[in-house]
Amino acid sequence: MWKFIVRRLIITLPQLLLMSLLVFFMASLMPGDAFTSQVDPSLSQEAIEEQRERLGLNDPWYQQYGRWISNVAEGDFGTSTAHYRPVTDLIWERMINTIWLSLLSVIFIYAIGIPLGIISGRWNDRLVDQIITGYTYLGFATPIFIFALVVLFFFGFTLGWFPTGGSVASGLEPGSFEYIISKLHHLLLPALSIALIGVVGTVQYLRSEIIDTKQKDFIVTARAKGAPESRVYNRHIFRNSVLPIAAFFGYEITMLITGSVFVEQIFSYPGMGNLFIESILIRDFPVVTAVVLLFGLAAILGALLSDIILSIVDPRIRIK
């Protein structure tokens, strides 16, 4: 087991290096650079070139990349050109909100997806299965921002059950009971928007696993021995079908990343996704590159986590 994890970690290192190169080159292809937004229009062209030379912006790409990746390895992402604050501090403030949003979204995904998958798989090809399957097809075909807009309009503006923006009501003392309740109230609608789309993969996969497991020989044998149908489903079919779902937990992270970028912007939720869009619009390059790098890192580590969980669930895939 440990040998598999070590080898998988070794494979991850080149992926991280390649991702950092891609992030650096994509940032360099954006119009302007980190100095563009700070230029005083009254400065002469000679003074601008002198400043660019002092900042190393005229150096070859490999020297700039070397300095950048060295600073990143030390946890230094530079200074925001729009907020005039360390990028690390700015990201950390937003990351906490995104972590809470992602955590609640995952809870919703499994709380909704597992029961629906069990119902759809147990009574497949019946009316209830057709309704659930129809919803999953709709979820696969509908972009997450469309879903978020519909949820926001219906539950936020029409019914007024949830706030339509922000992460907490103003004027509350941090850490108080009212503050925590307000924080949760602001989280519910964005998390539900992500979960309603994220749940479709879990439902379809669990449904397929249950239908496939129902046809296994050991299930036929259990029924032939006179085992009650509830025991057959709870102790044999369900237990053997739900374990592989855990292996896809890491891949949920990638879905949460892409979903949070749109949902946070729609709900004006101050998280990493909202910060990413805002930084692109105001050309805050240090923040953009840092957020993209962290998103990519989370996706790679999510895939690594899924491989590790899958190796625990199914030892046959372990690397010898």
Side-chain angles (χ1 to χ4, degrees), residues 77-234:
F77 292 98
T79 302
S80 169
T81 57
H83 301 276
Y84 302 101
R85 296 177 54 195
V87 175
T88 305
D89 296 343
L90 193 61
I91 286 178
W92 178 248
E93 293 176 358
R94 301 294 189 98
M95 186 183 295
I96 297 298
N97 290 332
T98 297
I99 289 174
W100 283 115
L101 176 61
S102 301
L103 179 62
L104 189 59
S105 299
V106 169
I107 293 174
F108 279 155
I109 286 173
Y110 287 109
I112 299 172
I114 291 179
L116 290 182
I118 293 172
I119 294 171
S120 184
R122 183 167 183 174
W123 290 284
N124 61 298
D125 297 330
R126 299 185 184 180
L127 179 61
V128 64
D129 173 47
Q130 294 173 0
I131 294 173
I132 295 174
T133 303
Y135 171 74
T136 60
Y137 289 158
L138 178 65
F140 278 125
T142 306
I144 191 170
F145 66 89
I146 298 295
F147 236 82
L149 287 172
V150 173
V151 169
L152 176 63
F153 175 78
F154 185 73
F155 291 102
F157 290 106
T158 304
L159 298 178
W161 290 354
F162 298 95
T164 58
S167 64
V168 68
S170 59
L172 298 179
E173 181 182 355
S176 64
F177 179 75
E178 292 80 8
Y179 182 89
I180 296 174
I181 294 299
S182 177
K183 198 83 170 176
L184 180 61
H185 195 207
H186 283 74
L187 272 173
L188 287 175
L189 208 54
L192 185 63
S193 301
I194 296 175
L196 288 176
I197 289 292
V199 75
V200 297
T202 301
V203 172
Q204 284 282 18
Y205 187 79
L206 185 55
R207 175 184 182 274
S208 300
E209 284 292 315
I210 290 176
I211 293 174
D212 182 64
T213 305
K214 286 195 300 185
Q215 304 171 10
K216 301 287 186 181
D217 291 338
F218 71 92
I219 300 298
V220 177
T221 302
R223 284 175 171 153
K225 290 181 177 180
E229 194 67 13
S230 60
R231 182 177 181 181
V232 171
Y233 267 95
N234 295 334

Side-chain angles (χ1 to χ4, degrees), residues 292-303:
V292 172
L293 187 64
L294 290 176
F295 279 169
L297 177 62
I300 291 176
L301 293 180

